[in-house]
Amino acid sequence: MKSGICPKCQSDQVYSGAAIALKKGPFGSNAVPISLTSIAALDNYICKACGYVESYVADADKLEEIAVKWEPVGPFEKKPAPEKD
Ligand SMILES: [Zn+2]
């Protein structure tokens, strides 16, 4: 999508909201909650032809915070669970 081609319909009518002001939106509506005290604004890419939306977190510090605070998903090796005594 960032390349300007829609992955769903292959249209080249892709628009980016990555540079707009107030990206977080009212009440953080265009953001992902990371924890009780932290949110990450989203950069949205929208296809004019089919309406498909893709969103990205661009802030590198927020991505690092997510990697620490969120549970990993997927085939890669997971962190060992904390030992209980
Ligand atoms: Zn499309």
Side-chain angles (χ1 to χ4, degrees), residues 2 5 10 20-21 23 26-28 32 34 37 45 52 59-60 62 68 73-74 76 82-83 85:
K2 287 180 177 178
I5 301 297
Q10 280 68 52
I20 64 171
K23 282 195 291 192
F27 312 108
V32 173
I34 299 174
T37 57
Y45 292 77
Y52 181 67
D59 186 326
K62 295 294 184 182
V68 170
V73 178
F76 57 87
E83 288 187 30
D85 50 13

Side-chain angles (χ1 to χ4, degrees), residues 8-22:
K8 299 298 181 186
C9 75
Q10 280 68 52
S11 164
D12 63 358
Q13 298 180 68
V14 174
Y15 293 82
S16 169
I20 64 171
L22 301 174

Side-chain angles (χ1 to χ4, degrees), residues 40-54:
L42 296 173
D43 290 348
N44 295 311
Y45 292 77
I46 298 181
C47 173
K48 180 175 175 275
C50 74
Y52 181 67
V53 179
E54 259 184 23

